[in-house]
Amino acid sequence: MTQQTKIEWTDFTVNFWEGCQKVGPGCDNCYAEERNGRFSAGANWGPGAPRRLVKGGPAKLRKIERDALSFHREHGRWPRVFLSSLCDVFDNAASPAWRIDLFRAIEAAPNCRFQMLTKRVGNVFQMIPPAWANGGWPSHVGLMITVVNQEEANRDIPKLLDLKARLDIPWVGLSIEPMLAPIDLMVTSSKGHDIQSLRGVAVDPTDPDGADEYYRTAKIDWVICGGESGPKARPMHPDWARSLRDQCWEAETPFLFKQWGEWIPGEFDVPPEIRWQAFPVDPTDSNLLPEMDGNPRWNNGLEFLPTDTHCLFQKVGKKAAGRILDGSEHNGFPEALT
Ligand code: SF4
């Protein structure tokens, strides 16, 4: 049995329902919303919109589980299953009964390696089954969150690490896609502690001794990074991806570079209308803002900093842009998924 999806970090996607609402800048160009608009006139999107059951979801998961052994023979590992690409498992507007069905189906598929990805980490504890919250988190389920800039990293990574420690989650990961700004994984929690999230070490800046290690925390086990795809995609500065790669390398954390997305960086001899030129920008000086196809929407959400090196981008499409960073593919996975 071969993989079903082209997403580089998984083998299968499974959705028990469809529908969601935007919760941050990473959602601006949501693929699932665009798809829902195309096939269901957007009926399942937004705060008041009913979510739609995906009838084939449970049967698909049962089949993946049934075929897991032959998948293992073919690939030497258990199938990775991404939940959910068309919704968010921890969406407040999704039916609690549907969520219970999903958790039961997960428990009935122990040979799948689940990658549960959410942008609502604050909802996880109150929405999981009581057994999961009381020491019974399944060993074949990992939890991932999406963060796209430093603000989200500071807000959500400490919550993810708390959950990992509290619920004994076997592995946790970050999906930094679309990457919209540089991110330092030494995050500052709401308590004012600096947490080196890749090492699982907190440093208290008010500690008079300046001790390196203030207390131990859980740590991040996996980092995925990628630029945005789709017609309205925003470019990802290569320095941002390099920095993540280097932070992971130093901490010996698996790093997967998923894609450049629509825009590829480099020096190009191309007509000006398809070239996007990013300079080190002083955001307070509008004269220095980059020109982007003459269309100001491209400036949204970008935080090119004075420290970013000058870079030209060409819009070539996701496939042509590929996934080579400084001459190599980066295909790290946590041990639990290998
Ligand atoms: S949380 Fe995910 S599915 Fe929901 S709107 Fe944002 S990107 Fe789309």
Side-chain angles (χ1 to χ4, degrees), residues 20-23 26-27 30 32 45 85-88 119-120:
C20 195
Q21 73 183 80
K22 294 176 194 288
V23 289
C27 302
C30 173
W45 229 266
S85 59
L86 302 178
C87 61
D88 190 318
K119 283 192 174 75
R120 295 164 169 86

Side-chain angles (χ1 to χ4, degrees), residues 10-335:
T10 195
D11 299 311
F12 300 94
T13 57
V14 170
N15 291 281
F16 274 38
W17 65 88
E18 176 181 356
C20 195
Q21 73 183 80
K22 294 176 194 288
V23 289
C27 302
D28 283 354
N29 302 318
C30 173
Y31 155 81
E33 181 188 25
E34 187 271 327
R35 185 184 180 282
N36 190 254
R38 220 169 344 123
F39 294 113
S40 308
N44 311 110
W45 229 266
R51 307 321 188 210
R52 179 184 75 81
L53 263 183
V54 174
K55 289 205 183 98
K60 180 177 177 182
L61 181 53
R62 284 197 298 273
K63 175 157 174 44
I64 298 168
E65 175 66 14
R66 268 200 315 275
D67 294 343
L69 199 55
S70 67
F71 184 97
H72 194 283
R73 277 195 214 105
E74 190 179 337
H75 299 275
R77 59 176 175 77
W78 299 107
R80 302 166 185 145
V81 179
F82 165 29
L83 300 168
S84 303
S85 59
L86 302 178
C87 61
D88 190 318
V89 172
F90 301 102
D91 173 11
N92 297 73
S95 156
W98 295 357
R99 217 170 356 251
I100 289 171
D101 288 346
L102 171 64
F103 292 135
R104 285 198 183 126
I106 291 171
E107 289 170 350
N111 291 318
C112 294
R113 297 292 172 264
F114 288 100
Q115 301 157 300
M116 198 153 59
L117 176 63
T118 184
K119 283 192 174 75
R120 295 164 169 86
V121 66
N123 285 352
V124 171
F125 188 79
Q126 70 215 46
M127 290 185 177
I128 54 175
W132 292 27
N134 289 297
W137 183 283
S139 60
H140 60 301
V141 181
L143 182 64
M144 303 168 67
I145 60 169
T146 301
V147 296
V148 300
N149 56 31
Q150 193 67 48
E151 186 189 352
E152 290 188 354
N154 289 346
R155 185 191 67 199
D156 290 344
I157 290 176
K159 292 180 194 164
L160 179 67
L161 298 182
D162 281 351
L163 280 177
K164 184 186 179 194
R166 192 168 167 193
L167 301 174
D168 205 15
I169 301 174
W171 64 269
V172 297
L174 303 178
S175 171
I176 302 182
E177 186 194 6
M179 190 174 198
L180 299 179
I183 295 180
D184 187 345
L185 293 173
M186 170 78 93
V187 295
T188 306
S189 76
S190 57
K191 292 178 189 153
H193 297 158
D194 291 336
I195 298 171
Q196 175 36 280
S197 61
L198 297 179
R199 295 186 194 281
V201 174
V203 181
D204 185 349
T206 63
D207 180 356
D209 299 329
D212 277 341
E213 192 172 315
Y214 180 58
Y215 57 84
R216 286 257 150 194
T217 70
K219 70 180 179 69
I220 299 293
D221 301 288
W222 191 25
V223 176
I224 295 171
C225 157
E228 195 165 34
S229 45
K232 296 180 185 171
R234 295 155 284 187
M236 171 176 64
H237 198 292
D239 285 355
W240 306 345
R242 287 186 184 116
S243 162
L244 276 187
R245 174 201 61 194
D246 294 348
Q247 292 177 61
C248 287
W249 185 81
E250 276 176 31
E252 299 182 8
T253 305
F255 173 72
L256 188 146
F257 183 67
K258 180 171 176 271
Q259 61 178 41
W260 282 109
E262 218 64 23
W263 298 83
I264 191 165
E267 295 290 334
F268 303 102
D269 182 17
V270 291
E273 65 272 14
I274 62 165
R275 191 173 66 186
W276 186 95
Q277 190 167 29
F279 292 97
V281 169
D282 173 358
T284 60
D285 185 346
S286 58
N287 291 323
L288 291 178
L289 283 173
E291 290 177 13
M292 306 181 91
D293 293 357
N295 186 342
R297 80 165 181 269
W298 299 112
N299 289 325
N300 284 350
L302 291 175
E303 298 171 38
F304 286 89
L305 303 175
T307 50
D308 289 329
T309 52
H310 169 217
C311 186
L312 299 179
F313 291 89
Q314 187 180 6
K315 195 173 189 184
V316 296
K318 175 189 151 157
K319 197 167 170 201
R323 52 190 301 262
I324 301 290
L325 173 62
D326 291 338
S328 312
E329 279 190 10
H330 296 76
N331 291 315
F333 281 90
E335 212 178 314

